Amino acid sequence: MNLRPEMTGEALTRLKRARGQLNAVIEMMENGEDCRAALTQLAAVSKAIDRAGFKIIASGMRYCDAARQAGEEPEMTEEELERLFLSLA
């Protein structure tokens, strides 16, 4: 299934925010700053990336469900979506 802007808007926003946080972590490490602050930011980056992935899966599920309800063949099966979901867990 191709990523569509209507499916990825929120996930893209989260990923851009995570990119900024990751850049901050890299700078903290390069500047020898406190490890607690760096690890706190790194945890936030990890959570943001995970949530972006879950948003993409949820959007894909809604998209495929709408296709099924319209009598169309969805681009992915429920099993494929489930496999992708579990790969994030």
Side-chain angles (χ1 to χ4, degrees), residues 44-75:
V45 170
S46 179
K47 186 173 182 176
I49 291 170
D50 289 345
R51 291 183 63 86
F54 292 134
K55 279 285 187 187
I56 292 169
I57 295 292
S59 294
M61 291 171 70
R62 283 192 296 276
Y63 183 82
C64 289
D65 187 52
R68 262 188 234 90
Q69 289 183 11
E72 301 168 7
E73 185 68 29
E75 294 181 48

Side-chain angles (χ1 to χ4, degrees), residues 5-74:
E6 65 272 12
M7 294 171 59
T8 60
E10 288 183 49
L12 188 57
T13 299
R14 288 179 187 276
L15 290 172
K16 287 180 179 181
R17 189 176 313 130
R19 178 173 53 191
Q21 290 173 310
L22 183 57
N23 286 337
V25 171
I26 291 168
E27 286 181 29
M28 294 169 98
M29 293 174 71
E30 290 174 341
N31 296 330
E33 295 182 28
D34 182 62
C35 70
R36 289 173 289 216
L39 288 172
T40 298
Q41 285 299 311
L42 194 57
V45 170
S46 179
K47 186 173 182 176
I49 291 170
D50 289 345
R51 291 183 63 86
F54 292 134
K55 279 285 187 187
I56 292 169
I57 295 292
S59 294
M61 291 171 70
R62 283 192 296 276
Y63 183 82
C64 289
D65 187 52
R68 262 188 234 90
Q69 289 183 11
E72 301 168 7
E73 185 68 29

